[in-house]
């Protein structure tokens, strides 16, 4: 099979559903060998289904690893290196969105939500990137972080999630400065608007009611972003021709987020 990402090995964290699954499929369609990732045995069937939808499923693998731990990040990278000897593309996608009102009286819930989000959305991306460095191809490699429009266009009740995504945005810029000459890679991020994935649809109704006016006023059309639109943008940043794009934060929201 030929394709613009032929010969590339890509890790996509959290790719048994939602945006990660769409990114994995798009990269595989373009010829990449993909290392899918799911967090626990309960997600294995979903990951296997995604894998079997690839044009050449036998060239790719699915790895169980919880990215909210450093050990999980290392497990994922070791599995990729053992199978393919190198990694060209890392997509830091695994993330969860939990509500986090600053004045929520439930201390235990607030502490737990903060810990879960910082561990996966923040530390998870940091440690997975750290773990991948020693096997990253030294030429034309790519790191793409899945940020969120909410780090630029604030939404009520989401300051905790927005704060952690803001951290990922800042990490993107820091790595975009640090890594290209040393590791031959570019580092970019995308900022999707609202994407109707399982993760988003499982958020409380009040969160969805809150963002409805934002979706309805989208300049291009009154609808959410699709996972495929995110996947196309991520894949575009992974192309060799995108080598001069570094440190960018690309909004994918029909003009409802302008950076
Ligand atoms: P989702 O819940 O639909 O899918 C998340 C995926 O991550 C699943 O495959 C899940 O199994 C996996 N995952 C969860 N915990 C994990 C862990 N500890 N280790 C490894 N994998 C794990 O979520 P989504 O809506 O597709 O979101 C994906 C990314 O996009 C997240 O970083 C999210 O913050 C970001 N994002 C989502 C939206 C949106 O509206 N859906 C908007 C902007 C950004």
């Amino acid at each position: 099979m030929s394709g613009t990402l032929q010969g590339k090995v890509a890790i996509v964290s959290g790719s048994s559903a939602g945006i990660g699954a769409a990114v994995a499929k798009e990269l595989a369609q373009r010829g990449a060998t993909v290392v899918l990732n799911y967090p626990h045995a309960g997600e294995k069937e979903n990951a296997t289904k995604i894998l079997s939808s690839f044009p050449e499923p036998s060239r790719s693998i699915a790895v169980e690893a919880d990215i909210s731990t450093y050990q999980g990040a290392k497990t994922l990278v070791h599995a990729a290196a053992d199978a393919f000897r190198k990694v060209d593309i890392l997509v830091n996608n695994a993330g969860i969105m939990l509500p986090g009102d600053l004045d929520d009286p439930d201390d235990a819930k607030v502490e737990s939500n903060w810990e879960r989000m910082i561990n996966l959305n923040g530390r998870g991306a940091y440690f997975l990137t750290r773990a991948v460095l020693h096997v990253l191809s030294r030429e034309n490699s790519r790191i793409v972080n899945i940020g969120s429009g909410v780090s630029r266009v604030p939404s009520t009740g989401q300051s905790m999630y927005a704060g952690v995504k803001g951290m990922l945005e800042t990490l993107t810029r820091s790595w975009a400065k640090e890594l290209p000459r040393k590791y031959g890679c570019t580092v970019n991020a995308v900022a999707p608007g609202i994407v109707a994935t399982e993760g988003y649809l499982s958020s409380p109704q009040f969160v969805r009611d809150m963002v409805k006016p934002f979706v309805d006023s989208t300049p291009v059309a009154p609808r959410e972003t699709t996972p495929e639109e995110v996947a196309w943008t991520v894949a575009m940043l992974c192309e060799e021709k995108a080598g001069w794009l570094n440190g960018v934060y690309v909004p994918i929201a029909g003009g409802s987020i302008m950076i």
Side-chain angles (χ1 to χ4, degrees):
M1 163 178 184
S2 65
T4 48
L5 296 179
Q6 185 69 31
K8 303 284 184 186
V9 176
I11 295 179
V12 185
S13 71
S15 42
S16 55
I19 292 170
V23 169
K25 283 184 196 170
E26 180 69 33
L27 298 179
Q29 287 289 344
R30 295 182 189 215
T33 291
V34 177
V35 180
L36 282 161
N37 161 239
Y38 58 98
H40 52 73
E43 281 287 308
K44 185 175 181 176
E45 201 182 324
N46 283 343
T48 308
K49 260 191 216 151
I50 310 291
L51 191 63
S52 62
S53 74
F54 290 176
E56 291 182 58
S58 61
R59 281 205 293 122
S60 293
I61 57 171
V63 179
E64 181 179 326
D66 176 355
I67 301 309
S68 66
T69 70
Y70 194 11
Q71 189 49 53
K74 286 182 186 168
T75 299
L76 180 56
V77 171
H78 288 161
D82 283 351
F84 307 114
R85 303 275 144 232
K86 63 158 187 171
V87 173
D88 302 283
I89 294 166
L90 168 64
V91 181
N92 281 309
N93 167 76
I96 39 172
M97 189 193 70
L98 301 168
D101 271 325
L102 193 57
D103 57 0
D104 188 323
D106 186 343
D107 282 352
K109 185 180 91 189
V110 169
E111 269 194 281
S112 155
N113 285 359
W114 183 249
E115 202 169 321
R116 287 176 63 199
M117 282 200 286
I118 198 84
N119 281 348
L120 182 59
N121 307 10
R123 277 170 45 109
Y126 186 93
F127 285 116
L128 186 53
T129 304
R130 179 177 153 80
V132 93
L133 286 180
H134 72 283
V135 292
L136 200 60
S137 296
R138 293 295 186 263
E139 210 179 332
N140 277 319
S141 53
R142 304 275 182 261
I143 296 171
V144 182
N145 296 327
I146 309 297
S148 168
V150 79
S151 71
R152 292 295 181 96
V153 180
S155 176
T156 311
Q158 286 197 304
S159 65
M160 201 187 273
Y161 175 70
V164 180
K165 286 296 182 185
M167 176 177 141
L168 191 58
E169 187 187 338
T170 305
L171 287 173
T172 303
R173 280 197 293 272
S174 300
W175 294 338
K177 178 88 175 173
E178 272 175 47
L179 302 184
R181 291 199 191 189
K182 200 168 172 187
Y183 291 95
C185 73
T186 59
V187 187
N188 294 294
V190 297
I194 304 299
V195 190
T197 59
E198 279 172 34
Y200 165 70
L201 293 172
S202 68
S203 58
Q205 184 63 42
F206 79 88
V207 173
R208 284 181 276 151
D209 289 345
M210 218 161 49
V211 299
K212 193 172 181 310
F214 171 80
V215 171
D216 287 348
S217 64
T218 303
V220 174
R223 65 162 176 83
E224 287 105 351
T225 301
T226 66
E228 290 72 27
E229 285 163 340
V230 181
W232 182 89
T233 312
V234 171
M236 179 272 289
L237 290 168
C238 293
E239 294 283 346
E240 285 202 4
K241 283 183 178 172
W244 205 240
L245 297 176
N246 183 44
V248 303
Y249 197 50
V250 185
I252 316 164
S256 54
I257 302 157
M258 296 194 194
I259 297 177

